[in-house]
């Protein structure tokens, strides 16, 4: 039987842990876990806590911690994805794959050519949770409320390397950027309409490096997945 993974809101600091709320419902009502079942508990510390269900009450379950193991899936690099808002189903896909590819933070962006202004954060948080369980991560990727393009440029410069995918860039490819020794990377990807020349110039003025993903114009969700896949392969 597959050992299922559950995320807790509070740190695990003793020999037992409490599973409650939505994760308790998922554990007992959806998966039908019983006393004696083995689980993996995660408290966003980067560790997997192998545990056994000892007691199930009306609104919570008590689990005995059997072993604490460093989770091997977390990336050494601190990668943040700044993705301009796109249509719901495409945003869902981009976020799901970003989690699978090890992103630590996701920041939705409202740019000049962004058509989709309604970013459903609660839905994306559920997708992050599901994707984290599927790929075996021990820490949930953080997602913020949407930010304006100008605010994002300031935020990105806090990383050691800030990079931006742009369909009209004709000189620099992603592989040309020197990212090997950078511990933190901020990646910016546009919406369905891409970026305006004014936005690209603003980004360059802030020291953000602009790169191309090749001869073909990619969909927004494809551009984010392709960029992150390249970075993951380089660093792992």
């Amino acid at each position: 039987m597959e050992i299922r993974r559950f995320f807790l809101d509070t740190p695990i600091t003793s020999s037992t842990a409490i599973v409650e709320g939505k994760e308790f419902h998922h554990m007992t009502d959806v998966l039908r876990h019983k006393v004696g079942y083995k689980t993996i508990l995660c408290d966003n510390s980067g560790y997997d806590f192998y545990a056994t269900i000892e007691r199930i009450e009306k609104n919570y379950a008590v689990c005995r911690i059997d072993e604490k193991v460093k989770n091997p899936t977390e990336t050494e690099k601190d990668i943040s994805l700044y993705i301009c808002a796109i249509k719901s189903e495409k945003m869902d896909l981009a976020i799901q794959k970003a989690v699978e590819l090890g992103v630590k933070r996701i920041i939705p962006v409202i740019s000049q050519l962004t058509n989709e202004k309604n970013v459903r954060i609660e839905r994306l948080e559920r997708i992050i949770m599901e994707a984290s369980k599927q790929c075996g991560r021990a820490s949930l990727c953080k997602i913020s409320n949407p930010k304006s393009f100008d605010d994002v440029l300031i935020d990105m410069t806090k990383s050691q390397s800030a990079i931006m995918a742009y369909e009209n860039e004709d000189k620099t490819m992603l592989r040309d950027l020197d990212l090997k020794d950078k511990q933190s990377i901020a990646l910016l990807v546009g919406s369905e309409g891409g970026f305006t020349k004014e936005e690209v110039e603003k980004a360059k003025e802030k020291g953000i490096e602009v790169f191309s993903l090749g001869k073909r114009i990619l969909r927004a969700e494809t551009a984010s997945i392709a960029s992150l896949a390249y970075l993951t392969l380089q660093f792992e």
Side-chain angles (χ1 to χ4, degrees):
M1 179 180 175
E2 179 186 359
I3 300 179
R4 304 303 288 262
R5 183 176 298 269
F6 302 92
F7 284 88
L8 308 185
D9 294 329
T10 56
I12 298 174
T13 58
S14 66
S15 60
T16 60
I18 303 296
V19 180
E20 53 190 349
K22 292 179 180 179
E23 287 292 78
F24 172 71
H25 165 70
H26 187 64
M27 172 186 280
T28 58
D29 296 336
V30 179
L31 298 176
R32 302 293 184 182
H33 276 28
K34 308 294 184 184
V35 170
Y37 275 45
K38 301 293 184 180
T39 68
I40 301 173
L41 304 181
C42 304
D43 63 354
N44 290 298
S45 64
Y47 285 87
D48 289 332
F49 293 83
Y50 288 82
T52 303
I53 301 175
E54 283 194 330
R55 194 169 81 250
I56 297 177
E57 302 293 344
K58 182 178 180 180
N59 297 313
Y60 65 90
V62 179
C63 298
R64 181 187 72 245
I65 305 302
D66 300 321
E67 185 180 11
K68 177 182 177 181
V69 179
K70 184 70 174 177
N71 183 283
T73 69
E74 297 299 327
T75 57
E76 294 183 5
K77 301 290 185 178
D78 189 342
I79 302 176
S80 298
L81 172 64
Y82 294 80
I83 179 169
C84 292
I86 52 180
K87 292 179 181 178
S88 179
E89 67 277 7
K90 296 178 180 180
M91 192 73 163
D92 293 351
L93 176 64
I95 299 308
Q96 180 190 67
K97 300 312 174 188
V99 172
E100 292 179 20
L101 291 165
V103 165
K104 300 290 179 67
R105 278 174 301 281
I106 297 171
I107 302 89
V109 183
I110 305 300
S111 61
Q112 289 186 37
L113 300 180
T114 298
N115 294 320
E116 184 63 52
K117 301 294 195 298
N118 181 28
V119 180
R120 297 187 289 176
I121 297 299
E122 288 188 7
R123 174 181 173 82
L124 296 178
E125 287 175 337
R126 290 197 298 271
I127 289 172
I128 289 171
M129 174 79 78
E130 292 166 2
S132 298
K133 291 180 178 182
Q134 180 273 319
C135 67
R137 290 184 64 170
S139 299
L140 290 174
C141 173
K142 297 178 181 179
I143 185 167
S144 73
N145 288 322
K147 294 186 177 183
S148 71
F149 183 84
D150 289 342
D151 286 343
V152 158
L153 295 186
I154 296 172
D155 200 38
M156 288 180 67
T157 56
K158 298 174 184 176
S159 296
Q160 290 182 354
S161 182
I163 61 177
M164 174 181 183
Y166 180 47
E167 66 274 13
N168 292 324
E169 172 60 32
D170 58 3
K171 295 180 180 178
T172 304
M173 302 292 291
L174 180 53
R175 64 172 178 266
D176 298 326
L177 303 182
D178 184 14
L179 304 173
K180 185 177 180 181
D181 297 324
K182 308 298 184 184
Q183 189 59 37
S184 58
I185 299 170
L187 167 67
L188 174 60
V189 178
S191 64
E192 287 97 342
F195 294 111
T196 65
K197 290 183 179 180
E198 178 187 0
E199 287 174 327
V200 174
E201 290 306 312
K202 280 185 177 182
K204 289 180 177 179
E205 289 172 6
K206 292 290 185 181
I208 296 171
E209 296 183 277
V210 177
F211 68 88
S212 168
L213 283 167
K215 299 177 181 179
R216 293 162 295 282
I217 296 178
L218 305 180
R219 291 181 180 273
E221 66 274 23
T222 307
S224 65
I225 295 168
S227 300
L228 292 171
Y230 176 85
L231 294 176
T232 301
L233 287 171
Q234 291 297 304
F235 300 143
E236 294 187 354

